[in-house]
Amino acid sequence: MFIPCDRGGGSAAPDFKGFTLLMPAVSVGNVGQLAIDLVISTLDMTKVGYFYTDCLVPMVGNNPYATAEENSMELSINAEVYSLPSKKLVVLQIRSPFIKNKYRPFCETLLSWVKSSECARVVLLSSSHAYQRNDEQLLGTPLRYLLTPDLEKAVGGRVQELNWKEMEKVAAYPGISDTDKVLHIPGGGITKLLFTESCSKGIQMAVLLKFCSEGDNIPDAFVLVNYLNEWLQLVKSEVNPSSQWKIPSSWRLLFGSGLPPALF
């Protein structure tokens, strides 16, 4: 359930009609979440609310996008919503893992909100285990996409122009029968469920994902966000694509650099 921020002048829900909702899957390497961090930080997006749910592990921390001591002590929780009306963009950032058996309730609540808020489409940033690729997936780019039928009608031509590679289906019974093919996204968290539910509910959704392994996944995040930018053109493309993204202050703590003094 979306709860708007109370800015002192009331807490009326912002209007997201016609907006693109951008969000991560909690997947291998947290690549989608890191890519979302880059988008929020670079575009200097405004926090407009949070997603109140019992499907995620509770957490609280300092402002991950702090730019000065004054805003470093603002608190952030596990699922927050940011907006940039000038680009008709709304972002849901998820910062904690899902509670067991809570995938489906979360997807149902999320898609219900998407419909009620009249978002035009959803873009899900995800990742999948590199070591579980089949022979076909080992070839070429490690990036893949999926489009629901409703979004395929709207942007299929544009995606073909970009020469992107669609996520391959794999044999349901490898070594026994190659005729039955299924969508398989190991390590992708809610990706498959959210995509299939969007297909059945007529919601326009795109999944952009990268094959990767656990470790330092910052390079994977840059690759994925540049992939997204090819399509949505959130920032102007530079000669060095990675230089166009602003790294959030919280990334200094990714590998145990000590706790910020403002936390105490």
Side-chain angles (χ1 to χ4, degrees), residues 13 22 38 42 83 101 128 206 240 264:
L22 181 62
L38 290 170
T42 302
S83 177
N101 299 326
S128 184
N240 178 13
F264 302 101

Side-chain angles (χ1 to χ4, degrees), residues 13 31 49 83 108 117 124 138 158 185 211 244 258:
V31 177
S83 177
E108 290 173 354
S117 61
L124 181 69
L138 288 167
R158 172 59 180 152
I185 309 176
F211 293 115
Q244 64 201 5

Side-chain angles (χ1 to χ4, degrees), residues 84-237:
L84 187 63
S86 63
K87 290 187 178 288
K88 286 211 157 189
L89 182 69
V90 56
V91 171
L92 169 63
Q93 175 63 303
I94 300 174
R95 299 193 178 95
S96 69
F98 283 87
I99 293 171
K100 189 176 181 181
N101 299 326
K102 289 288 190 176
Y103 276 13
R104 188 168 293 277
F106 180 84
C107 290
E108 290 173 354
T109 303
L110 175 71
L111 295 180
S112 175
W113 175 57
V114 169
K115 283 200 165 186
S116 65
S117 61
E118 299 184 74
C119 289
R121 60 191 174 190
V122 182
V123 180
L124 181 69
L125 301 186
S126 184
S127 51
S128 184
H129 284 301
Y131 74 89
Q132 289 193 251
R133 287 174 292 177
N134 62 16
D135 290 347
E136 187 180 3
Q137 291 170 339
L138 288 167
L139 300 173
T141 176
L143 295 161
R144 294 291 188 277
Y145 79 91
L146 288 165
L147 300 177
T148 60
D150 288 83
L151 188 57
E152 177 78 46
K153 295 173 188 175
V155 302
R158 172 59 180 152
V159 169
Q160 287 184 351
E161 289 175 8
L162 293 171
N163 202 28
W164 283 2
K165 197 166 185 179
E166 188 173 7
M167 183 69 172
E168 302 88 347
K169 290 187 175 180
V170 301
Y173 307 102
I176 301 174
S177 171
D178 292 330
T179 55
D180 294 327
K181 301 254 182 173
V182 295
L183 185 62
H184 186 51
I185 309 176
I190 64 170
T191 304
K192 181 179 176 181
L193 177 60
L194 197 55
F195 179 75
T196 54
E197 286 293 305
S198 296
C199 288
S200 65
K201 294 180 186 298
I203 290 174
Q204 295 191 14
M205 172 176 279
V207 175
L208 308 186
L209 69 82
K210 185 181 186 299
F211 293 115
C212 67
S213 302
E214 292 279 5
D216 179 358
N217 296 102
I218 289 176
D220 297 308
F222 277 109
V223 171
L224 186 60
V225 78
N226 286 327
Y227 187 52
L228 169 73
N229 198 54
E230 285 180 35
W231 173 28
L232 295 187
Q233 295 292 295
L234 299 175
V235 297
K236 285 185 178 181
S237 297

Side-chain angles (χ1 to χ4, degrees), residues 2-23:
F2 172 70
I3 309 294
C5 287
D6 185 356
R7 298 290 183 183
S11 55
D15 183 10
F16 298 137
K17 185 176 181 179
F19 279 44
T20 294
L21 171 62
L22 181 62
M23 63 173 290

Side-chain angles (χ1 to χ4, degrees), residues 35-58:
I36 292 290
D37 268 352
L38 290 170
V39 171
I40 294 171
S41 181
T42 302
L43 299 180
D44 194 23
M45 298 185 73
T46 302
K47 182 162 66 176
V48 293
Y50 59 95
F51 215 66
Y52 181 74
T53 175
D54 63 353
C55 301
L56 297 166
V57 174

